[in-house]
Amino acid sequence: MSDVCIVGIGIHPLGRTDGLSGVDQGVFAVRQALADAGVDWPQVQFAYGSSDAAGNPDTMVDRLGLTGVQFINVRNGCAAGGSALFSAQMAIKSGEFELGLAVGFDKHPRGAFNALPSEYNLPDWYGEAGYMVTTQFFAAKIMRYMHMFGISHQTLARVAEKAFRNGAHAPHAWRRQPVPIEEILAAPLVSDPYTKYMFCSPAEGGVALVLASEKKARELGKPLVRLKAATMRTRPPHSFEVFAPSVDVVADDSAPRGTATRIASADAFRLAGIGPGDIDVAQLQDTEAGAEIMHMAENGFCADGDQEGWLAEGWTEIGGTLPVNTDGGCLACGEPIGASGLRQVYENVVQLRGDGGGRQVPGHRRGGPKTAYSHVYGAPGVSAVTILER
Amino acid sequence: MRAIAEGLFTDETPPRLLGGRERTTGRVVFPCPAGDACDPVPLAREGRLWSYTVQRYRPKTPPYAGPEAFAPWIVAYVELPGEVIVEARLVDVAFDAVEIGMPLRLVQVPLDPDAAEPLAIPAFAPIKGAGA
């Protein structure tokens, strides 16, 4: 079967943009992506749009043109953008369409994500007692992982330090000021073992990708960036997720538990017909520093515990064996939920085209990267993975 | 001290936590969900620390109903052997003395000790004299 290709990319810088709504930022990204692809809005046959908290994506047809285009909205927690992209590529793979759009945007206020127990089928006392706090889950998850696999605070800090250093070279990133590792470690604790630099913040931004069939992409004369795999999966039994008043006991708790990420990743590699060792650059969900660490293993790039050595050796740096989060990831870009997964794919296309500037990865034998991997994870246990190839 | 919610603890002294055993699978969960999918089951009083963190800032109100004046507290996941891992406070231990695997026993602590009628929430405390 022929591949689905990404022929246009657009982004509204992440961070905080007063006076511009979430939809505005989405429209900005779409226009940039259309221009990049060299197509006009009326040529777009369908769109999937994701936003968690900034309104209905399909309302942007007001601004882009009332062409009657099919426009479907997607909500899927932090995996919303990944789910929009998955749906968009299926629409082309099915043969129904040959040119379409995946767009994601959001606009979260400072300190956003006010979760109430009733929205999660939990009793009120759980919130009254102080447990409707997402950071507690992330912290407790890495605390156990550090205990099991010997990951140090220093390694967590190395992840954050790399994020801000990479973000400095990404025009779309929010936090572009490098922070010394000592400052990261000495900063106030938010939820042990994480200091304030080790968590990403709710943010704003928009990302759009134009997708085309291989035939259409050739007509457009664009360099072919092929979407070799896009998977979205939900959690297996016994996983540890956010807002969990209880967790299952398992017979052998010395090995890591199954996760939606492990399933989505294994399936993506199977579809693409390659393995983790073939990947030249990866964007892994890093809503907190430990997430990048755990996701390196969950996505099959290293064994549990090996991250300690990987970070110390700089293997996930821009010039390393497997550069991870080359635009600074969520830590430097913040997290506009609807846009976040698409931001990773945007960054991968930039890298595959060789347009990364100060953050460009050298790739296989320094001939430029040929393969790029992206991964998002969201509550309550959803994950989306893509593999791109040039 | 009155419990923060009905059906969290057994009526005995000292109390135990009430979990729920799923009728179809036997899986134990906490708290016991409403409805008839689960039978209430008293949980073991003792277990070991599975993981934890320290809540360093005051959670937002609503939904948090703790005291205005905030002092950090420990959120623990405690493994009750063969049953379930439950989330609760961890008390009577310094933050830097907490160790995963340490033996713990169920206690009740007030959500707001200064309230006119304090409400009891589930907590665990180290078992004195027990080695990790």
Side-chain angles (χ1 to χ4, degrees), chain A:
Chain A
M1 192 200 291
S2 70
D3 290 314
V4 175
C5 298
I6 298 180
V7 295
I9 58 173
I11 196 163
H12 184 282
L14 285 79
R16 301 208 187 283
T17 311
D18 292 341
L20 219 51
S21 73
V23 178
D24 288 339
Q25 296 179 45
V27 169
F28 179 98
V30 169
R31 290 194 169 127
Q32 198 179 79
L34 293 174
D36 181 49
V39 301
D40 296 318
W41 173 245
Q43 292 170 260
V44 173
Q45 298 169 318
F46 72 90
Y48 284 85
S50 63
S51 164
D52 193 66
N56 292 325
D58 64 298
T59 59
M60 66 171 66
V61 295
D62 259 0
R63 242 76 63 78
L64 293 166
L66 299 174
T67 59
V69 66
Q70 170 186 306
F71 202 127
I72 295 175
N73 298 338
V74 181
R75 275 190 83 194
N76 222 167
C78 300
S83 300
L85 178 58
F86 173 82
S87 306
Q89 58 104 29
M90 287 305 286
I92 293 175
K93 263 190 178 168
S94 73
E96 183 82 14
F97 297 114
E98 54 180 14
L99 187 73
L101 185 71
V103 55
F105 57 85
D106 246 310
K107 189 176 179 82
H108 308 293
R110 189 180 304 278
F113 310 149
N114 293 312
L116 293 175
S118 56
E119 297 161 4
Y120 289 83
N121 198 27
L122 290 166
D124 288 341
W125 72 262
Y126 187 74
E128 290 161 10
Y131 300 138
M132 289 304 290
V133 180
T134 53
T135 45
Q136 289 173 2
F137 158 73
F138 292 121
K141 188 176 177 196
I142 192 66
M143 198 67 103
R144 181 165 175 83
Y145 193 84
M146 292 167 81
H147 171 78
M148 288 173 77
F149 299 109
I151 302 297
S152 64
H153 290 77
Q154 183 78 13
T155 295
L156 299 181
R158 282 187 209 277
V159 169
E161 193 271 339
K162 170 174 68 70
F164 302 124
R165 196 156 29 79
N166 287 353
H169 296 287
H172 64 263
W174 179 14
R175 305 194 186 284
R176 306 187 57 195
Q177 200 64 40
V179 182
I181 206 157
E182 300 74 28
E183 193 177 329
I184 291 168
L185 281 167
L189 285 158
V190 172
S191 200
D192 301 24
Y194 289 135
T195 69
K196 69 169 187 177
Y197 289 112
M198 297 179 185
F199 276 113
C200 83
S201 303
E204 307 173 14
V207 181
L209 306 172
V210 180
L211 280 72
S213 64
E214 186 169 336
K215 177 170 162 285
K216 185 73 182 173
R218 287 185 191 282
E219 282 172 31
L220 291 168
K222 303 299 291 183
L224 298 185
V225 173
R226 300 165 184 276
L227 185 53
K228 297 303 285 188
T231 57
M232 188 277 159
R233 297 290 186 269
T234 52
R235 66 191 189 278
H238 316 310
S239 68
F240 178 32
E241 308 291 350
V242 73
F243 304 143
S246 70
V247 182
D248 292 349
V249 289
V250 294
D252 175 11
D253 214 0
S254 62
R257 295 179 174 219
T259 64
T261 295
R262 286 182 194 276
I263 301 171
S265 174
D267 285 349
F269 280 122
R270 183 178 48 75
L271 286 169
I274 59 173
D278 299 315
I279 297 295
D280 288 329
V281 57
Q283 319 298 334
L284 307 178
Q285 178 96 345
D286 61 333
T287 40
E288 39 350 297
E292 179 172 315
I293 299 286
M294 293 184 282
H295 290 150
M296 285 168 63
E298 288 185 27
N299 286 287
F301 293 110
C302 68
D304 291 290
D306 285 359
Q307 300 96 328
E308 192 71 11
W310 275 57
L311 268 291
E313 298 292 334
W315 291 351
T316 54
E317 295 284 341
I318 296 292
T321 327
L322 179 72
V324 173
N325 291 332
T326 47
D327 64 352
C330 292
L331 288 171
C333 294
E335 191 186 24
I337 289 181
S340 211
L342 298 176
R343 190 257 311 149
Q344 297 177 327
V345 178
Y346 171 94
E347 172 66 9
N348 276 341
V349 174
V350 169
Q351 292 288 346
L352 290 175
R353 288 177 175 178
D355 292 338
R359 66 185 196 283
Q360 179 63 45
V361 311
H364 188 63
R365 297 206 182 106
R366 315 198 84 76
K370 302 281 186 218
T371 53
Y373 185 96
S374 76
H375 156 263
V376 285
Y377 162 84
V382 293
S383 190
V385 166
T386 70
I387 296 174
L388 304 184
E389 209 175 272
R390 150 175 88 88

